Structures are given as C-alpha cells and as structure tokens.
Amino acid sequence: MNIFYVLLLGFAVSMDGFVAGVAYGLKKIRMPIGSLSIVGIVAAILTAIAMVCAYGLGKLIDTHLAIALGASLLILLGLWSVFQQYLTKDVTSYEADGEVTARKLTFSLGRLVISIMAKPETADVDKLGVISSLEAVFLGLAVGLDAMVGTFAAALMGRLPLYTPLAIGIIHMVCIAAGCSSTNFVSDDLKKRVPYLPGTLLILLGIIRLG
C-alpha cells in the first residue's frame, strides 16, 4: 500500500483529534507541545500493536477472507464514527473526586476514556485549563482507539509500510494542533460537519477495498 493510502487512512482515523482540538480551543484549554507529543506517541504505539495483531491473524486465515474482514471492519468503524455523535450524547462527563492522582485515573480508565471520546474537554480532569502529561495519555488512548481498529482492518487487507505508526502519530498531533488553532477561522457550519468526515472516508476506503 502506498503513502497516499497511509495518509488517507491516517487523516480518517485522526479527525477525532481535530474535533478534540476544536473543543480545547473553544474552552481555552492549552495543549503544551510535550502533552501533544505524548498523544502522538500513544497513538503510534496503538497503531503498531494493531499492525502486529493483524499480521498474526492474517497468517491464520485465507487472504480473501482477510481482505473481506478488513474492509468490513473499516466500513463498520466508519458507520460507528458517523453515528457516534448520537450514541454518546448522553454519556456523563468524568468528574474526579478530590485530588487527581495517577492511581485514581488508572482505576477509572474505561470510564474516563469513554467520557473523553464523547466530550474531549473532559480530558482536562483537574480543570486547570491545560492538558497535563498524565491527561495526555488518556487523551491519546481515547483518540487512538479508532486508529487502532482502522489500522488493524487496513493491515488485514495488505501489509502497511513500517512507517505507518509514526505517520499516524504525527497526523494525530497535527490534527489536534490544527483544531486548537482553528476556532477563530473555521465556520460553525464546518465544525458541525467535521465529525462526519472521518466516518465517510473510512466507509469509502472499505468499499474501495471490497471492489
């Protein structure tokens, strides 16, 4: 698979990061370069894990079945991305009781990640107006899950270049940074449409691979 496919896949699974960045820009939440780098590293690690798992599974099943399964996963992920706005609208925001500690956040991992997926601004658990290194890890998990599933599906359909995790990690960083700085330039109408773009791209990628 060529670099264009990797870039298209990267942007499709990273647009959640752009949406998160827009949310932070509107809420005046700062994203230091260190925290931004942590999000990219977490996304890259999840992508690498997905590639290894996909190649392992690909050796156990028929090639045509692997391609069909991968394409179906991309389409399902795209549909989930499109309908996620409706399915997560009633998710309650995570609220930490008392002092925010690594242990407390770790025990609340699932709830916190789901909360961030539904409402990215809840990543700022301590309400200090800045995403700390620890909060960036959980943000990376939240925005990296789509990348993990999408990369797993794409890797089932054919070998991805070794630089794919690095590319997707960097694209996540670029999308979040662009979202943070775009709040004064992006129209409200475009902001409403952005959440539907990644799902549409993933569905198209899946259909193309099925064809």
Side-chain angles (χ1 to χ4, degrees), residues 17-208:
F18 179 80
V19 175
V22 170
Y24 298 149
L26 292 173
K27 296 283 186 178
K28 307 299 182 184
I29 298 174
R30 292 190 301 109
M31 172 70 76
I33 186 64
S35 298
L36 190 61
S37 299
I38 289 173
V39 174
I41 290 171
V42 172
I45 291 173
L46 292 177
T47 299
I49 292 173
M51 288 174 62
V52 171
C53 292
Y55 295 152
L57 178 60
K59 293 179 179 179
L60 302 177
I61 60 177
D62 179 73
T63 302
H64 297 293
L65 177 59
I67 293 175
L69 179 60
S72 299
L73 279 175
L74 279 181
I75 293 172
L76 288 174
L77 180 60
L79 291 173
W80 158 253
S81 181
V82 169
F83 290 108
Q84 187 178 11
Q85 305 301 311
Y86 302 98
L87 297 174
T88 61
K89 64 181 180 179
D90 295 324
V91 173
T92 56
S93 299
Y94 175 82
E95 296 289 344
D97 297 323
E99 182 184 359
V100 176
T101 64
R103 182 178 181 182
K104 183 182 294 184
L105 294 183
T106 301
F107 278 116
S108 303
L109 175 63
R111 183 182 163 203
L112 179 55
V113 169
I114 292 173
S115 177
I116 295 173
M117 291 174 67
K119 301 169 185 175
E121 62 272 17
T122 59
D124 183 23
V125 179
D126 53 19
K127 310 298 182 186
L128 294 179
V130 60
I131 301 297
S132 68
S133 298
L134 179 59
E135 291 167 342
V137 172
F138 291 94
L139 174 59
L141 289 173
V143 300
L145 287 177
D146 282 351
M148 190 175 193
V149 178
T151 304
F152 178 82
L156 270 180
M157 295 183 286
R159 285 197 169 271
L160 295 172
L162 292 178
Y163 59 76
T164 299
L166 177 62
I168 289 183
I170 292 174
I171 292 173
H172 268 82
M173 294 171 62
V174 170
C175 285
I176 293 175
C180 289
S181 60
S182 69
T183 51
N184 296 325
F185 309 101
V186 178
S187 67
D188 290 337
D189 183 59
L190 182 57
K191 289 174 187 175
K192 292 177 181 177
R193 296 178 185 223
V194 163
Y196 301 99
L197 178 60
T200 303
L201 287 175
L202 288 169
I203 292 171
L204 288 175
L205 285 174
I207 292 174
I208 289 171

